[in-house]
């Protein structure tokens, strides 16, 4: 009975080992008779080898996984690199395009100057943005008005608004960036200052010359809430320097109020040149050059204040007819074109 139990046990272990160690199953059948202890020892060696193989395999798998991961990463890197090259290519194309258009622009201006050099009458002279518009320059931007021997005027960089209300506008003043000081002296207001694409005053001498033909003035205003309004004067001119660039206006229209009327018939004043109608030195108080009366109903060349309110001072960019004396506007443009202009 005991031997029978032992035998059953041996068979059971053998079966178990067959399941566990398939290699052992391949050994010749006669060895099935080996004692259990020896069988167990042999099998455990096999198990150990198997374990090592498994370990080797899993390390191999891990290795492969790592390599694959590295491959994926390098692939991603390549894709990114390609994308970057693509961007650079695009940037280069854009740059080339802008260079081309710049050159194109210059060629056009040269053609313009060549045309100017030819004998001409005043009627076809390139005199302002309106005459450029009439020659089919209908894109807003910076232009160079050629020097004119007939009018004895030097060449002049201007910004043309070729869109607003039919276009043909020569911009004479702009406030929008706020980094250019407008607290300047007579000579600077005479000749102009600032940058034509940013904040600037075109210059009283140029404005005087441009308004010798009957001229319309348009003033565009924007507040810090993003609302925009405008004022137009159907007639606008300055007298010459001998007459202190005195202002003449007529025929108001618009939705911002008539806040330049108070400055009608007044001389231009700057710091160190007090031509106002006041005991106070308005240019000093309002920190700009303007046709100061006593002193202001508008102060478009005043100090640039962010976010409008400047209750402590009276020197902001103001237009009393819209926001009163304590609100400094966000953006201003003053522009002119001939009365007889037709788009
Ligand atoms: C396990 O890998 C080592 C080195 O990678 C090798 O030397 C050994 O023979 C391998 N063992 C087995 C059982 O494959
Ligand atoms: C103002 O407008 C009226 C009517 O259009 C015109 O008769 C007059 O000449 C204008 N005034 C000036 C100074 O241009
Ligand atoms: C305006 O300027 C003119 C000439 O420059 C001068 O004769 C006149 O007195 C000035 N007016 C005022 C109010 O300063
Ligand atoms: C400005 O003054 C002139 C007179 O010099 C006058 O004819 C004109 O109507 C005035 N302009 C305004 C807007 O009041
Ligand atoms: C503008 O500010 C001054 C000084 O703070 C104040 O006296 C005046 O009432 C203000 N005016 C308006 C229209 O808010």
């Amino acid at each position: 009975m005991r031997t029978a139990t032992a035998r059953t046990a041996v068979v059971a272990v053998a079966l178990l080992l067959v399941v566990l160690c398939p290699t052992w199953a391949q050994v010749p059948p006669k060895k099935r008779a080996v004692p259990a202890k020896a069988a167990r020892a042999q099998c455990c060696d096999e198990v150990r080898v198997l374990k090592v193989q498994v370990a080797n395999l899993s390390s191999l798998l891990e290795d492969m996984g790592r390599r694959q991961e590295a491959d994926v990463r390098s692939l991603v890197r390549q894709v990114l690199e390609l994308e970057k090259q693509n961007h650079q290519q695009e940037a280069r194309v854009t740059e080339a395009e802008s260079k081309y258009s710049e050159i194109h622009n210059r060629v056009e201006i040269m053609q313009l100057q060549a045309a100017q050099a030819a004998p001409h009458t005043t009627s076809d002279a390139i005199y302002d943005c309106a005459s450029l518009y009439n020659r089919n320059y209908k894109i807003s931007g910076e232009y160079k008005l050629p020097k004119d021997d007939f009018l004895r005027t030097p060449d002049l960089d201007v910004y043309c608004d070729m869109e607003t209300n039919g276009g043909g506008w020569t911009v004479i003043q702009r406030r929008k960036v706020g980094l250019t000081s407008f607290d300047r002296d007579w000579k600077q207001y005479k000749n102009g200052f600032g940058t034509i694409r940013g904040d600037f005053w075109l210059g009283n001498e140029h404005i005087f010359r441009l308004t010798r033909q009957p001229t319309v003035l348009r003033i565009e205003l924007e507040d810090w809430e993003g609302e925009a309004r405008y004022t137009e004067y159907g007639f606008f001119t300055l007298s010459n320097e001998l007459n202190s660039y005195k202002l003449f206006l007529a025929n108001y229209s618009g939705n911002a109020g008539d806040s330049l009327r108070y400055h009608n018939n007044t001389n231009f004043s700057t710091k160190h040149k007090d031509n106002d109608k006041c005991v106070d030195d308005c240019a000093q108080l309002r920190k700009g050059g303007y046709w100061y009366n006593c002193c202001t109903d508008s102060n478009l060349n005043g100090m640039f204040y962010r976010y409008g309110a400047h209750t402590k001072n009276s020197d902001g960019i103001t237009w009393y007819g819209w926001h009163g004396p304590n609100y400094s506007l966000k953006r201003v443009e003053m522009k002119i074109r001939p009365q007889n202009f037709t788009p």
Side-chain angles (χ1 to χ4, degrees):
M1 197 52 198
R2 216 174 168 246
T3 16
T5 320
R7 262 184 117 111
T8 317
V10 167
V11 169
V13 167
L15 274 174
L16 190 68
L17 284 173
V18 166
V19 171
L20 283 176
C21 328
T23 16
W24 187 77
Q26 279 161 21
V27 295
K30 63 171 181 188
K31 283 207 170 168
R32 228 184 270 161
V34 265
K37 202 175 170 189
R40 216 179 295 130
Q42 192 187 350
C43 183
C44 286
D45 279 347
E46 303 266 357
V47 168
R48 230 175 285 126
V49 169
L50 275 172
K51 272 188 180 161
V52 169
Q53 278 176 350
V54 166
N56 267 16
L57 276 175
S58 48
S59 93
L60 205 72
L61 272 174
E62 235 172 72
D63 214 43
M64 276 168 66
R66 259 199 299 276
R67 233 174 286 149
Q68 219 156 26
E69 211 176 285
D71 279 354
V72 168
R73 246 183 277 135
S74 115
L75 207 69
V76 168
R77 246 200 313 277
Q78 278 173 22
V79 169
L80 285 177
E81 183 63 30
L82 276 174
E83 244 169 54
K84 201 171 108 196
Q85 278 173 9
N86 198 23
H87 276 305
Q88 281 169 346
Q89 209 71 31
E90 260 172 41
R92 244 173 263 149
V93 168
T94 313
E95 195 189 318
E97 273 173 0
S98 87
K99 271 213 188 102
Y100 171 78
S101 88
E102 202 177 291
I103 287 167
H104 191 66
N105 214 3
R106 253 188 248 147
V107 166
E108 287 202 335
I109 287 166
M110 273 158 64
Q111 283 171 346
L112 224 63
Q113 283 167 332
Q116 276 304 97
H120 64 273
T121 62
T122 40
S123 66
D124 67 355
I126 301 301
Y127 186 69
D128 55 11
C129 292
S131 31
L132 283 169
Y133 187 97
N134 288 333
R135 290 196 171 199
N136 263 328
Y137 293 88
K138 296 189 174 169
I139 296 168
S140 293
E142 200 178 336
Y143 288 85
K144 193 184 271 300
L145 301 178
K147 99 190 216 305
D148 194 315
D149 294 329
F150 186 79
L151 297 167
R152 287 192 292 136
T153 53
D155 60 10
L156 175 65
D157 287 323
V158 289
Y159 192 96
C160 298
D161 174 350
M162 301 303 205
E163 286 145 60
T164 304
N165 199 19
W169 298 100
T170 306
V171 181
I172 61 170
Q173 186 255 31
R174 190 189 293 117
R175 309 298 302 274
K176 69 168 184 184
V177 183
L179 298 176
T180 303
S181 167
F182 276 60
D183 192 9
R184 308 239 182 178
D185 63 19
W186 185 263
K187 200 168 167 217
Q188 286 176 301
Y189 268 100
K190 175 184 173 180
N191 297 319
F193 58 82
T195 48
I196 215 77
R197 288 186 169 276
D199 294 5
F200 70 93
W201 181 254
L202 189 64
N204 288 335
E205 196 57 35
H206 301 303
I207 298 170
F208 158 67
R209 172 167 68 82
L210 289 168
T211 58
R212 277 189 292 178
Q213 58 185 327
T215 297
V216 177
L217 169 68
R218 183 182 171 94
I219 298 170
E220 286 160 11
L221 310 169
E222 190 187 322
D223 67 15
W224 292 90
E225 285 71 47
E227 199 191 328
R229 297 206 184 177
Y230 78 98
T231 284
E232 261 186 42
Y233 292 95
F235 181 79
F236 165 70
T237 193
L238 301 190
S239 55
N240 62 15
E241 188 179 16
L242 270 175
N243 291 298
S244 302
Y245 299 119
K246 193 177 197 166
L247 171 71
F248 294 100
L249 292 167
N251 287 343
Y252 162 83
S253 64
N255 59 9
D258 191 4
S259 294
L260 209 51
R261 175 196 290 266
Y262 179 67
H263 303 264
N264 190 19
N265 293 307
T266 34
N267 292 340
F268 201 84
S269 291
T270 64
K271 64 176 172 186
H272 317 312
K273 191 109 179 166
D274 181 6
N275 292 327
D276 61 35
K277 298 176 178 168
C278 211
V279 183
D280 288 334
D281 184 347
C282 293
Q284 204 89 25
L285 285 172
R286 300 292 195 255
K287 303 222 174 65
Y290 208 58
W291 303 277
Y292 289 113
N293 188 332
C294 188
C295 285
T296 48
D297 196 35
S298 62
N299 190 32
L300 299 182
N301 290 336
M303 298 277 287
F304 187 94
Y305 287 98
R306 279 178 206 285
Y307 312 119
H310 62 110
T311 44
K312 285 205 194 83
N313 305 294
S314 52
D315 54 9
I317 302 172
T318 50
W319 188 265
Y320 291 16
W322 183 17
H323 274 294
N326 296 337
Y327 188 98
S328 189
L329 295 160
K330 181 186 177 188
R331 188 185 164 99
V332 179
E333 266 185 17
M334 299 172 75
K335 49 193 75 170
I336 56 174
R337 77 178 176 196
Q339 268 180 9
N340 65 8
F341 176 83
T342 44

